[in-house]
mmCIF file of all heavy atoms in Angstrom:
data_model
loop_
_atom_site.group_PDB
_atom_site.id
_atom_site.type_symbol
_atom_site.label_atom_id
_atom_site.label_comp_id
_atom_site.label_asym_id
_atom_site.label_seq_id
_atom_site.Cartn_x
_atom_site.Cartn_y
_atom_site.Cartn_z
ATOM 1 N N ASN A 1466 31.723 105.192 29.368
ATOM 2 C CA ASN A 1466 31.314 104.861 30.807
ATOM 3 C C ASN A 1466 30.010 105.510 31.102
ATOM 4 O O ASN A 1466 29.775 106.682 30.713
ATOM 5 C CB ASN A 1466 32.374 105.316 31.748
ATOM 6 C CG ASN A 1466 33.559 104.327 31.838
ATOM 7 O OD1 ASN A 1466 33.376 103.137 31.863
ATOM 8 N ND2 ASN A 1466 34.751 104.901 31.779
ATOM 9 N N ASP A 1467 29.113 104.791 31.800
ATOM 10 C CA ASP A 1467 27.818 105.270 32.179
ATOM 11 C C ASP A 1467 27.898 106.191 33.352
ATOM 12 O O ASP A 1467 28.094 105.700 34.483
ATOM 13 C CB ASP A 1467 26.909 104.050 32.453
ATOM 14 C CG ASP A 1467 25.443 104.465 32.557
ATOM 15 O OD1 ASP A 1467 25.128 105.640 32.551
ATOM 16 O OD2 ASP A 1467 24.636 103.558 32.751
ATOM 17 N N ASN A 1468 27.657 107.486 33.177
ATOM 18 C CA ASN A 1468 27.702 108.495 34.263
ATOM 19 C C ASN A 1468 29.018 108.462 35.035
ATOM 20 O O ASN A 1468 29.017 108.699 36.233
ATOM 21 C CB ASN A 1468 26.545 108.286 35.211
ATOM 22 C CG ASN A 1468 25.242 108.810 34.610
ATOM 23 O OD1 ASN A 1468 24.941 110.049 34.776
ATOM 24 N ND2 ASN A 1468 24.486 107.962 33.967
ATOM 25 N N LEU A 1469 30.090 108.234 34.361
ATOM 26 C CA LEU A 1469 31.475 108.395 34.827
ATOM 27 C C LEU A 1469 32.261 108.872 33.636
ATOM 28 O O LEU A 1469 31.895 108.701 32.472
ATOM 29 C CB LEU A 1469 32.038 107.054 35.316
ATOM 30 C CG LEU A 1469 31.530 106.518 36.711
ATOM 31 C CD1 LEU A 1469 32.197 105.139 36.945
ATOM 32 C CD2 LEU A 1469 31.953 107.484 37.770
ATOM 33 N N PRO A 1470 33.424 109.516 33.903
ATOM 34 C CA PRO A 1470 34.250 109.906 32.776
ATOM 35 C C PRO A 1470 34.606 108.744 31.878
ATOM 36 O O PRO A 1470 34.866 107.666 32.371
ATOM 37 C CB PRO A 1470 35.457 110.518 33.443
ATOM 38 C CG PRO A 1470 35.033 110.895 34.788
ATOM 39 C CD PRO A 1470 33.957 109.944 35.165
ATOM 40 N N ASN A 1471 34.589 109.005 30.544
ATOM 41 C CA ASN A 1471 35.001 107.952 29.552
ATOM 42 C C ASN A 1471 36.461 107.704 29.717
ATOM 43 O O ASN A 1471 37.217 108.510 30.319
ATOM 44 C CB ASN A 1471 34.705 108.441 28.135
ATOM 45 C CG ASN A 1471 33.268 108.725 27.928
ATOM 46 O OD1 ASN A 1471 32.376 107.925 28.346
ATOM 47 N ND2 ASN A 1471 32.962 109.864 27.257
ATOM 48 N N SER A 1472 36.906 106.513 29.216
ATOM 49 C CA SER A 1472 38.254 106.116 29.358
ATOM 50 C C SER A 1472 38.906 106.046 27.958
ATOM 51 O O SER A 1472 38.298 105.398 27.101
ATOM 52 C CB SER A 1472 38.396 104.754 30.081
ATOM 53 O OG SER A 1472 37.946 104.822 31.389
ATOM 54 N N LEU A 1473 40.093 106.663 27.800
ATOM 55 C CA LEU A 1473 40.837 106.481 26.587
ATOM 56 C C LEU A 1473 42.162 105.822 26.943
ATOM 57 O O LEU A 1473 43.043 106.464 27.637
ATOM 58 C CB LEU A 1473 41.118 107.828 25.901
ATOM 59 C CG LEU A 1473 41.953 107.789 24.580
ATOM 60 C CD1 LEU A 1473 41.319 106.810 23.519
ATOM 61 C CD2 LEU A 1473 42.145 109.110 23.995
ATOM 62 N N PHE A 1474 42.288 104.587 26.623
ATOM 63 C CA PHE A 1474 43.486 103.799 27.009
ATOM 64 C C PHE A 1474 44.557 103.957 25.927
ATOM 65 O O PHE A 1474 44.391 103.350 24.847
ATOM 66 C CB PHE A 1474 43.118 102.294 27.253
ATOM 67 C CG PHE A 1474 42.249 102.117 28.456
ATOM 68 C CD1 PHE A 1474 40.907 101.848 28.294
ATOM 69 C CD2 PHE A 1474 42.833 102.217 29.732
ATOM 70 C CE1 PHE A 1474 40.160 101.621 29.461
ATOM 71 C CE2 PHE A 1474 42.026 101.999 30.861
ATOM 72 C CZ PHE A 1474 40.649 101.725 30.714
ATOM 73 N N HIS A 1475 45.541 104.733 26.150
ATOM 74 C CA HIS A 1475 46.572 104.994 25.233
ATOM 75 C C HIS A 1475 47.654 103.872 25.299
ATOM 76 O O HIS A 1475 48.091 103.521 26.317
ATOM 77 C CB HIS A 1475 47.281 106.341 25.488
ATOM 78 C CG HIS A 1475 48.479 106.586 24.679
ATOM 79 N ND1 HIS A 1475 49.745 106.631 25.221
ATOM 80 C CD2 HIS A 1475 48.555 106.796 23.317
ATOM 81 C CE1 HIS A 1475 50.589 106.905 24.183
ATOM 82 N NE2 HIS A 1475 49.878 106.954 23.068
ATOM 83 N N ASN A 1476 47.841 103.249 24.130
ATOM 84 C CA ASN A 1476 48.768 102.108 24.013
ATOM 85 C C ASN A 1476 50.217 102.649 23.997
ATOM 86 O O ASN A 1476 50.620 103.392 23.059
ATOM 87 C CB ASN A 1476 48.458 101.341 22.716
ATOM 88 C CG ASN A 1476 49.157 100.056 22.609
ATOM 89 O OD1 ASN A 1476 50.203 99.831 23.189
ATOM 90 N ND2 ASN A 1476 48.535 99.105 21.831
ATOM 91 N N ARG A 1477 51.003 102.263 24.945
ATOM 92 C CA ARG A 1477 52.381 102.752 25.093
ATOM 93 C C ARG A 1477 53.332 102.022 24.127
ATOM 94 O O ARG A 1477 54.453 102.471 23.928
ATOM 95 C CB ARG A 1477 52.915 102.559 26.532
ATOM 96 C CG ARG A 1477 52.282 103.446 27.544
ATOM 97 C CD ARG A 1477 53.097 103.318 28.842
ATOM 98 N NE ARG A 1477 52.658 104.185 29.905
ATOM 99 C CZ ARG A 1477 52.001 103.774 30.979
ATOM 100 N NH1 ARG A 1477 51.681 102.439 31.130
ATOM 101 N NH2 ARG A 1477 51.608 104.626 31.946
ATOM 102 N N GLY A 1478 52.840 100.863 23.547
ATOM 103 C CA GLY A 1478 53.696 100.144 22.621
ATOM 104 C C GLY A 1478 54.545 99.160 23.306
ATOM 105 O O GLY A 1478 55.331 98.464 22.559
ATOM 106 N N ASP A 1479 54.514 99.051 24.598
ATOM 107 C CA ASP A 1479 55.361 98.050 25.259
ATOM 108 C C ASP A 1479 54.519 97.018 26.012
ATOM 109 O O ASP A 1479 54.984 96.355 26.898
ATOM 110 C CB ASP A 1479 56.282 98.770 26.311
ATOM 111 C CG ASP A 1479 55.524 99.550 27.333
ATOM 112 O OD1 ASP A 1479 54.255 99.566 27.271
ATOM 113 O OD2 ASP A 1479 56.153 100.142 28.215
ATOM 114 N N GLY A 1480 53.241 96.886 25.604
ATOM 115 C CA GLY A 1480 52.381 95.879 26.256
ATOM 116 C C GLY A 1480 51.551 96.488 27.384
ATOM 117 O O GLY A 1480 50.745 95.809 28.025
ATOM 118 N N THR A 1481 51.698 97.818 27.630
ATOM 119 C CA THR A 1481 50.933 98.496 28.666
ATOM 120 C C THR A 1481 50.193 99.692 28.120
ATOM 121 O O THR A 1481 50.520 100.254 27.005
ATOM 122 C CB THR A 1481 51.848 98.976 29.848
ATOM 123 O OG1 THR A 1481 52.752 100.044 29.341
ATOM 124 C CG2 THR A 1481 52.730 97.819 30.374
ATOM 125 N N PHE A 1482 49.197 100.110 28.949
ATOM 126 C CA PHE A 1482 48.363 101.247 28.576
ATOM 127 C C PHE A 1482 48.370 102.279 29.675
ATOM 128 O O PHE A 1482 48.467 101.932 30.859
ATOM 129 C CB PHE A 1482 46.931 100.799 28.302
ATOM 130 C CG PHE A 1482 46.715 99.891 27.111
ATOM 131 C CD1 PHE A 1482 47.034 98.562 27.159
ATOM 132 C CD2 PHE A 1482 46.237 100.409 25.943
ATOM 133 C CE1 PHE A 1482 46.896 97.722 26.064
ATOM 134 C CE2 PHE A 1482 46.057 99.607 24.787
ATOM 135 C CZ PHE A 1482 46.372 98.246 24.892
ATOM 136 N N GLU A 1483 48.182 103.519 29.286
ATOM 137 C CA GLU A 1483 47.938 104.602 30.272
ATOM 138 C C GLU A 1483 46.526 105.222 29.945
ATOM 139 O O GLU A 1483 46.158 105.308 28.800
ATOM 140 C CB GLU A 1483 49.030 105.659 30.099
ATOM 141 C CG GLU A 1483 49.195 106.356 28.740
ATOM 142 C CD GLU A 1483 50.264 107.345 28.662
ATOM 143 O OE1 GLU A 1483 50.673 107.808 29.703
ATOM 144 O OE2 GLU A 1483 50.711 107.632 27.505
ATOM 145 N N GLU A 1484 45.903 105.630 31.002
ATOM 146 C CA GLU A 1484 44.564 106.226 30.831
ATOM 147 C C GLU A 1484 44.714 107.696 30.519
ATOM 148 O O GLU A 1484 45.322 108.472 31.291
ATOM 149 C CB GLU A 1484 43.756 106.028 32.094
ATOM 150 C CG GLU A 1484 42.240 105.928 31.877
ATOM 151 C CD GLU A 1484 41.676 107.264 31.391
ATOM 152 O OE1 GLU A 1484 41.700 108.215 32.189
ATOM 153 O OE2 GLU A 1484 41.191 107.315 30.247
ATOM 154 N N ALA A 1485 44.265 108.075 29.335
ATOM 155 C CA ALA A 1485 44.467 109.444 28.833
ATOM 156 C C ALA A 1485 43.192 110.207 28.560
ATOM 157 O O ALA A 1485 43.181 111.205 27.804
ATOM 158 C CB ALA A 1485 45.362 109.431 27.531
ATOM 159 N N GLY A 1486 42.074 109.759 29.156
ATOM 160 C CA GLY A 1486 40.805 110.381 28.848
ATOM 161 C C GLY A 1486 40.791 111.843 29.185
ATOM 162 O O GLY A 1486 40.389 112.668 28.323
ATOM 163 N N LEU A 1487 41.154 112.237 30.397
ATOM 164 C CA LEU A 1487 41.104 113.650 30.766
ATOM 165 C C LEU A 1487 42.052 114.479 29.984
ATOM 166 O O LEU A 1487 41.760 115.547 29.553
ATOM 167 C CB LEU A 1487 41.342 113.794 32.298
ATOM 168 C CG LEU A 1487 40.159 113.441 33.187
ATOM 169 C CD1 LEU A 1487 40.569 113.425 34.630
ATOM 170 C CD2 LEU A 1487 38.981 114.343 32.996
ATOM 171 N N LEU A 1488 43.311 113.961 29.867
ATOM 172 C CA LEU A 1488 44.352 114.724 29.208
ATOM 173 C C LEU A 1488 44.094 114.891 27.705
ATOM 174 O O LEU A 1488 44.563 115.857 27.091
ATOM 175 C CB LEU A 1488 45.732 114.015 29.383
ATOM 176 C CG LEU A 1488 46.274 114.080 30.828
ATOM 177 C CD1 LEU A 1488 47.595 113.346 30.933
ATOM 178 C CD2 LEU A 1488 46.415 115.562 31.319
ATOM 179 N N SER A 1489 43.327 113.948 27.086
ATOM 180 C CA SER A 1489 43.004 114.023 25.661
ATOM 181 C C SER A 1489 41.782 114.814 25.421
ATOM 182 O O SER A 1489 41.480 115.154 24.237
ATOM 183 C CB SER A 1489 42.884 112.619 25.106
ATOM 184 O OG SER A 1489 41.707 111.998 25.650
ATOM 185 N N GLY A 1490 41.026 115.116 26.402
ATOM 186 C CA GLY A 1490 39.734 115.852 26.213
ATOM 187 C C GLY A 1490 38.556 115.002 25.862
ATOM 188 O O GLY A 1490 37.462 115.511 25.441
ATOM 189 N N THR A 1491 38.648 113.641 26.017
ATOM 190 C CA THR A 1491 37.544 112.765 25.674
ATOM 191 C C THR A 1491 36.804 112.217 26.895
ATOM 192 O O THR A 1491 35.793 111.535 26.666
ATOM 193 C CB THR A 1491 38.070 111.587 24.864
ATOM 194 O OG1 THR A 1491 39.072 110.896 25.590
ATOM 195 C CG2 THR A 1491 38.801 112.083 23.526
ATOM 196 N N ALA A 1492 37.243 112.446 28.067
ATOM 197 C CA ALA A 1492 36.644 111.875 29.253
ATOM 198 C C ALA A 1492 35.250 112.563 29.509
ATOM 199 O O ALA A 1492 34.297 111.855 29.941
ATOM 200 C CB ALA A 1492 37.487 112.071 30.458
ATOM 201 N N LEU A 1493 35.150 113.839 29.278
ATOM 202 C CA LEU A 1493 34.006 114.610 29.583
ATOM 203 C C LEU A 1493 33.639 115.571 28.503
ATOM 204 O O LEU A 1493 34.514 116.079 27.737
ATOM 205 C CB LEU A 1493 34.210 115.384 30.879
ATOM 206 C CG LEU A 1493 34.578 114.555 32.129
ATOM 207 C CD1 LEU A 1493 35.144 115.553 33.202
ATOM 208 C CD2 LEU A 1493 33.389 113.800 32.658
ATOM 209 N N ARG A 1494 32.356 116.027 28.413
ATOM 210 C CA ARG A 1494 32.007 117.124 27.581
ATOM 211 C C ARG A 1494 32.709 118.406 28.146
ATOM 212 O O ARG A 1494 33.191 118.457 29.252
ATOM 213 C CB ARG A 1494 30.547 117.385 27.614
ATOM 214 C CG ARG A 1494 29.638 116.370 26.744
ATOM 215 C CD ARG A 1494 29.611 116.736 25.328
ATOM 216 N NE ARG A 1494 29.660 118.222 25.081
ATOM 217 C CZ ARG A 1494 28.583 118.968 25.143
ATOM 218 N NH1 ARG A 1494 27.372 118.472 25.354
ATOM 219 N NH2 ARG A 1494 28.709 120.292 24.960
ATOM 220 N N GLU A 1495 32.685 119.474 27.417
ATOM 221 C CA GLU A 1495 33.348 120.711 27.832
ATOM 222 C C GLU A 1495 32.718 121.332 29.110
ATOM 223 O O GLU A 1495 33.378 122.111 29.782
ATOM 224 C CB GLU A 1495 33.311 121.775 26.678
ATOM 225 C CG GLU A 1495 31.935 122.129 26.209
ATOM 226 C CD GLU A 1495 32.006 123.027 24.996
ATOM 227 O OE1 GLU A 1495 33.095 123.319 24.578
ATOM 228 O OE2 GLU A 1495 30.937 123.495 24.512
ATOM 229 N N HIS A 1496 31.554 120.899 29.455
ATOM 230 C CA HIS A 1496 30.905 121.413 30.646
ATOM 231 C C HIS A 1496 31.448 120.705 31.954
ATOM 232 O O HIS A 1496 31.156 121.051 33.037
ATOM 233 C CB HIS A 1496 29.345 121.342 30.634
ATOM 234 C CG HIS A 1496 28.811 119.950 30.306
ATOM 235 N ND1 HIS A 1496 29.212 118.833 30.927
ATOM 236 C CD2 HIS A 1496 27.890 119.625 29.393
ATOM 237 C CE1 HIS A 1496 28.556 117.798 30.416
ATOM 238 N NE2 HIS A 1496 27.761 118.262 29.449
ATOM 239 N N GLY A 1497 32.265 119.641 31.683
ATOM 240 C CA GLY A 1497 32.993 118.980 32.829
ATOM 241 C C GLY A 1497 32.091 117.949 33.566
ATOM 242 O O GLY A 1497 32.543 117.490 34.607
ATOM 243 N N LYS A 1498 30.944 117.561 33.045
ATOM 244 C CA LYS A 1498 30.084 116.593 33.698
ATOM 245 C C LYS A 1498 30.020 115.323 32.923
ATOM 246 O O LYS A 1498 29.859 115.330 31.715
ATOM 247 C CB LYS A 1498 28.679 117.228 33.919
ATOM 248 C CG LYS A 1498 28.644 118.498 34.753
ATOM 249 C CD LYS A 1498 27.209 119.036 34.817
ATOM 250 C CE LYS A 1498 27.163 120.314 35.605
ATOM 251 N NZ LYS A 1498 25.785 120.861 35.636
ATOM 252 N N PRO A 1499 30.074 114.146 33.591
ATOM 253 C CA PRO A 1499 29.890 112.908 32.894
ATOM 254 C C PRO A 1499 28.454 112.787 32.451
ATOM 255 O O PRO A 1499 27.507 113.333 33.022
ATOM 256 C CB PRO A 1499 30.275 111.829 33.960
ATOM 257 C CG PRO A 1499 30.022 112.547 35.250
ATOM 258 C CD PRO A 1499 30.314 113.966 35.063
ATOM 259 N N VAL A 1500 28.325 112.012 31.361
ATOM 260 C CA VAL A 1500 26.973 111.691 30.858
ATOM 261 C C VAL A 1500 26.795 110.213 30.749
ATOM 262 O O VAL A 1500 27.702 109.448 30.996
ATOM 263 C CB VAL A 1500 26.758 112.351 29.464
ATOM 264 C CG1 VAL A 1500 26.856 113.877 29.554
ATOM 265 C CG2 VAL A 1500 27.717 111.838 28.434
ATOM 266 N N ALA A 1501 25.569 109.790 30.371
ATOM 267 C CA ALA A 1501 25.301 108.345 30.232
ATOM 268 C C ALA A 1501 25.827 107.863 28.878
ATOM 269 O O ALA A 1501 25.045 107.466 28.040
ATOM 270 C CB ALA A 1501 23.813 108.040 30.348
#
Side-chain angles (χ1 to χ4, degrees):
N1466 282 315
D1467 190 357
N1468 282 276
L1469 285 176
N1471 301 315
S1472 297
L1473 179 57
F1474 293 104
H1475 174 246
N1476 192 335
R1477 290 191 177 106
D1479 61 358
T1481 67
F1482 293 79
E1483 59 182 338
E1484 209 291 296
L1487 284 173
L1488 292 178
S1489 66
T1491 60
L1493 303 165
R1494 284 278 326 277
E1495 59 186 1
H1496 53 51
K1498 299 178 182 179
V1500 299

